């Protein structure tokens, strides 16, 4: 056996937005999570986002035995070597950069490593999946893509409209991700990803993180582990397991006011549909359940190496290639 | 001759607030400046300060053959090795941290390495020299000093009141600086520094940067280079040349609206006294004149090693000891 195979397997969750607590960080350790991409905010502007980042610094200090702020793949190794979880920070909306391209670099320096171009609605950069008309990547969107490419901030196309996603994939000089979504033909929501987008993503060496959020799953909250595995197998047919990961979209401990915040932000006075969290699938309620996902994959015919890719090795490789080393 | 003595002498200016341009950065090179501490702002809040920092990033990119953003003493070496000037960024007022202690770390991560606790007026942290009553370091001021000590952001007591300065020197666990001021007994303004404060500063291994701003000089704009040298000699009697530097307060190319901004900010509707820049001493109008300062020091009896300290070696040593290495 080599030293590498003695080391614990790399397990990475490509998206969570939990009601963060020491208990949840403990569960990350118990579930063997090497790294997690954590959402910092949705509709917050720059100043509010910085406040969230300050809160994250406090969390890192208060829980330094369990987690660390991750800036590059070296921090995944550091987390592994010290039995902690590396937390990558990201934004699900470009609101924090306002209309100021220079703020991308400021947020990068403050630790942000992922940003979505859009969240459901039209943004300054592109169009979200809930608009009737997707007019694609905007003038500022092209600048933001170039700037994110320059810095090495990872472009996330979750929640984007079809045209915006295709244009962004084509415009980006670096591979992009869809951190948390599923094949659309297995669960028909425009929030999920079409075959066309997946093929473009694959061609550009991008990564898809499979979502465990009930509304993205083929049978909602009742989706079985086996059904999840079968969905993963379909995705792997296009992406290959080496470009497939998990982006669980775990929102553990969040009250329903948070799902309303996600959907309504401050942009509407109307209550939006289904403003409560659906029950999680019985087999995935917390980070403790993360290793179980491999059973679903194995039952759908994934081999050992393929399962390793989906559970974390694919994200690990993507991050290693994408994020510039801090040193 | 050793390799070190072959290298160009380290020249450091501990404070400038010029109307930055490529021409001024060229003059820094021609004047042999290894490093400059540049003021980013005075009365700006957090968001405006970040905009200034974005402007600085643009300057660094547009002039990367002349200057670089300095975060630690390694960047002084890098500047020296590549014939550029290392620019350290600082704030003359704690307005940018608002009432949020966490913003100190955010600004540190964005490149800020110096911060004054106060600028003329009472601040949230302490008292400036122009208030009638100096009630010393505030509750938040104590927290800010501890936080700056933790991070390695340098505390600058220029513009502080007497009591605030003495308390801050005593509270800080690390040496502090007064980046741009002169001995008060040679130019009687409370903006200058009393013997008591200088002695406390020296005892704590702090640094005084001698100002070349006419209002701080013994004979205003008519102060001769020799008079400046004599003043430096008096300061050296207390501080020792190894704790003495230059903080020229050069405001080259700034219109008078800027001196009004410094004095009036947004806190008053009344025009403040002398809201125009006085003429510079004839022997110091730009970075080109920086090397000339050594003539004044030599004429007042400074030896070669002492002159080297004041022209930059003292600042160099202080920065090396004070700023944490980025790696």
């Amino acid at each position: 056996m080599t030293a590498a195979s003695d080391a614990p397997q790399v397990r990475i969750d490509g998206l969570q937005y939990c009601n963060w607590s020491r208990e949840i960080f403990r569960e990350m350790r118990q579930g063997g999570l090497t790294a997690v991409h954590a959402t910092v905010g949705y509709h917050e502007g720059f100043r509010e986002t910085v406040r969230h980042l300050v809160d994250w610094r406090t969390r890192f200090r208060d829980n330094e035995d369990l987690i660390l702020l991750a800036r590059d793949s070296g921090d995944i190794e550091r987390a592994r070597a010290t039995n902690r979880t590396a937390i990558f920070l990201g934004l699900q909306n470009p609101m924090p950069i306002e209309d100021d391209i220079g703020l991308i670099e400021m947020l990068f320096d403050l630790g942000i490593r992922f940003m979505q171009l859009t969240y459901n609605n039209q943004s300054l950069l592109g169009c979200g999946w809930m608009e009737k008309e997707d007019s694609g990547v905007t003038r500022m969107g092209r600048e933001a893509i170039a700037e994110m490419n320059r810095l090495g901030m990872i472009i996330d196309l979750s929640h984007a409209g079809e045209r915006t996603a295709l244009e962004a994939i084509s415009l980006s000089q670096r591979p992009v991700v869809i951190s948390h979504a599923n094949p659309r033909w297995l669960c028909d929501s425009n929030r999920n990803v079409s075959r066309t987008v997946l093929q473009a993503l694959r061609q550009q060496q991008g990564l898809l993180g499979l979502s465990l959020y009930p509304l993205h799953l083929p049978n909602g909250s009742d989706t079985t582990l086996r059904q999840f595995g079968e969905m993963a197998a379909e995705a792997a047919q296009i992406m290959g397991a080496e470009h497939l990961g998990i982006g669980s979209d775990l929102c553990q401990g969040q009250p329903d006011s948070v799902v309303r915040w996600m959907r309504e932000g401050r942009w509407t006075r109307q209550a939006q549909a289904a403003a409560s969290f659906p029950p999680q699938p019985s087999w995935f309620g917390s980070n403790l359940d993360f290793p179980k996902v491999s059973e679903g994959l194995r039952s759908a015919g994934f081999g050992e190496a393929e399962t390793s890719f989906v559970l974390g090795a694919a994200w690990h490789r993507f991050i290693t290639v994408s994020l510039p080393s801090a040193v």
Side-chain angles (χ1 to χ4, degrees), chain A residues 8 18 45 67 88 101 137-138 182 225 262 265 277-278 293 313 317:
Chain A
C18 298
I67 56 172
F88 289 92
I101 196 85
V137 173
T138 65
N182 292 326
L225 193 44
M262 290 173 183
F277 282 106
V293 173
R317 194 167 74 172

Side-chain angles (χ1 to χ4, degrees), chain A residues 183 185-186 210 226-241 244 296-302 306 310:
Chain A
W185 62 97
L186 296 169
L210 294 165
R226 188 182 177 101
Q227 285 172 317
F228 174 78
E230 285 159 0
M231 182 186 75
E234 290 235 15
Q237 276 183 22
I238 297 177
M239 297 300 293
L244 204 58
L297 299 171
R298 298 306 289 267
S299 74
F302 281 75
E306 291 170 315
V310 180

